[in-house]
Amino acid sequence: ENTLFLVTLSNWYSRTSNPDEALATAQKAVAINRRKKIRYGEEFAYSTLGAVYFSRNDFARSRENFELFLATVQNKEFISNSIYYRLGVAQEITGDRAKAMATYALLKNISDRDRAGDRFNYRVAQKRITTPMTGADILIIKADNELGRKNSDTALVLFNDALKQSNGDPEIQARA
């Protein structure tokens, strides 16, 4: 009955391609933290739930949990570009382009060589501010999530659909 342990366990399940266990464990962490408040427990649980729902292509729930995370986090300086980027994507996919643009603008320009993912997310977010996601972009995100969950047949269908919608765009074709 330790919120922080359960959040850590949920992250481990998520990273080992066990999204159902990750989701159940993170939900249990939120429920326990309602009864036994642990500092940081709630915010980490919401962050984890946002990531798990994102990986399951449930962008509405991902957005809801990432927004709860932002509302509960005490030090916004520690929010990674990955969280801001996935929240922006979830907002855009769920139809709130204006909010997504504002979220993309929160990403920090990282120069640290050890944080290539954060640097990449920053560059992509800068593009997203000026250029809305296309249907092919959304399909690629969903396909990447399916692939991450070891659903390669579903991922292949989504990647092929993205290629069909690419309109010859070499960047989309390379990503698909």
Side-chain angles (χ1 to χ4, degrees), residues 85 104-105 107 120-130:
Y85 178 73
Y104 294 142
L107 275 81
F120 175 79
N121 286 334
Y122 173 79
R123 285 193 310 273
V124 174
Q126 295 310 295
K127 177 184 175 189
R128 297 261 186 262
I129 289 171
T130 59

Side-chain angles (χ1 to χ4, degrees), residues 153-174:
D153 290 340
T154 304
L156 184 60
V157 169
L158 290 167
F159 281 130
N160 282 326
D161 288 347
L163 281 172
K164 290 174 191 170
Q165 291 185 24
S166 71
N167 296 322
D169 182 329
E171 182 180 325
I172 288 176
Q173 290 174 337

Side-chain angles (χ1 to χ4, degrees), residues 43-57:
E43 64 190 60
F44 288 144
Y46 288 134
S47 170
T48 299
L49 279 169
V52 169
Y53 281 122
F54 191 92
S55 75
R56 295 168 63 102
N57 292 327

Side-chain angles (χ1 to χ4, degrees), residues 11-78:
N11 277 305
W12 181 78
Y13 283 140
S14 186
R15 292 177 194 276
T16 57
S17 301
N18 196 340
D20 295 333
E21 286 296 323
L23 179 60
T25 305
Q27 288 172 330
K28 185 176 180 182
V30 169
I32 289 172
N33 205 65
R34 285 188 184 123
R35 292 190 322 267
K36 299 177 181 180
K37 287 283 185 199
I38 296 177
R39 186 174 180 196
Y40 305 119
E42 189 174 48
E43 64 190 60
F44 288 144
Y46 288 134
S47 170
T48 299
L49 279 169
V52 169
Y53 281 122
F54 191 92
S55 75
R56 295 168 63 102
N57 292 327
D58 187 342
F59 299 106
R61 286 190 176 144
S62 175
R63 174 185 178 171
E64 174 186 328
N65 281 280
F66 279 138
E67 288 175 346
L68 285 168
F69 166 71
L70 290 181
T72 58
V73 70
Q74 294 186 10
N75 187 346
K76 303 235 188 287
E77 289 300 312
F78 294 122

